[in-house]
Amino acid sequence: MYKVNIIGIIDKNSNKWGSEIGGYKIYSPEQIKELDAKNILLTTKNSNELIYRNVKNFLEQNHPNLNLLPNIFKQ
């Protein structure tokens, strides 16, 4: 079980950056390092597996120090 401290939400849609959803600020993907996150819970709209794999590969290659948590939303 993980102790959760949500910092915010990362979204590639620039129209959403700076706004909030559920009380959490939406950031650009480029801000991941600035947020000093240790763990990432990766999920995609409609649990799209192809997008999920692409984003997961990107994070693993470009942010190897991040810990990807298990995808609890996978159908």
Side-chain angles (χ1 to χ4, degrees):
M1 172 140 292
Y2 293 96
K3 189 174 184 180
V4 178
N5 179 20
I6 298 174
I7 297 171
I9 298 170
I10 302 294
D11 196 309
K12 70 177 185 174
N13 183 340
S14 62
N15 292 324
K16 295 181 181 180
W17 298 345
S19 63
E20 290 189 4
I21 185 168
Y24 298 105
K25 185 173 178 182
I26 299 175
Y27 298 93
S28 75
E30 290 77 24
Q31 292 179 286
I32 289 176
K33 286 184 180 179
E34 294 172 28
L35 295 173
D36 195 31
K38 305 294 184 249
N39 301 297
I40 297 286
L41 174 60
L42 174 59
T43 187
T44 57
K45 185 175 182 178
N46 300 324
S47 298
N48 185 303
E49 189 62 32
L50 178 61
I51 293 173
Y52 180 89
R53 282 194 315 263
N54 287 338
V55 174
K56 182 178 185 233
N57 288 338
F58 172 84
L59 289 172
E60 289 172 344
Q61 291 174 9
N62 294 286
H63 302 280
N65 295 330
L66 289 178
N67 178 39
L68 288 174
L69 301 175
N71 183 5
I72 61 172
F73 299 108
K74 189 174 182 178
Q75 296 179 1

